[in-house]
Amino acid sequence: MRVIIVGSGRVGAGLASRLAEEGLDVVILDTSTQAVRRLAPGFSGQALRGDGTDESVLARAGAEGAEWFFALTNGDNRNILAAQLAAQT
């Protein structure tokens, strides 16, 4: 099962780490390379630097085939836009 998570803050990184430990195919996106340091050591998913409100970034992350999509940035507007774009892919 493919999961896309936008935002590698405390909540996003924690969720990504947990789902990857359970064997899911996880891709986490964040605009900051520093943010991915919050991921658990040995994170088996894929961490990409990019903006989750950019359609090309979502396409590169595989949002089209994802079963789950979580927008967990610290900005409500960004989360809404990312979710809308992902739903249209």
Side-chain angles (χ1 to χ4, degrees):
M1 182 174 296
R2 187 167 193 80
V3 179
I4 308 294
I5 299 172
V6 176
S8 186
R10 190 173 24 125
V11 174
L15 180 62
S17 297
R18 177 89 186 253
L19 293 176
E21 286 173 5
E22 293 182 16
L24 279 71
D25 179 17
V26 179
V27 177
I28 188 160
L29 299 169
D30 201 288
T31 56
S32 169
T33 54
Q34 302 293 334
V36 298
R37 293 183 181 171
R38 293 184 181 101
L39 295 167
F43 175 68
S44 63
Q46 183 180 10
L48 298 176
R49 184 174 183 267
D51 188 342
T53 62
D54 183 328
E55 291 180 35
S56 65
V57 172
L58 291 174
R60 186 173 44 132
E64 183 175 346
E67 284 84 9
W68 292 352
F69 182 89
F70 296 92
L72 301 173
T73 73
N74 61 358
D76 291 340
N77 292 337
R78 177 173 280 173
N79 291 338
I80 291 167
L81 180 56
Q84 287 175 335
L85 290 173
Q88 293 173 0
T89 60

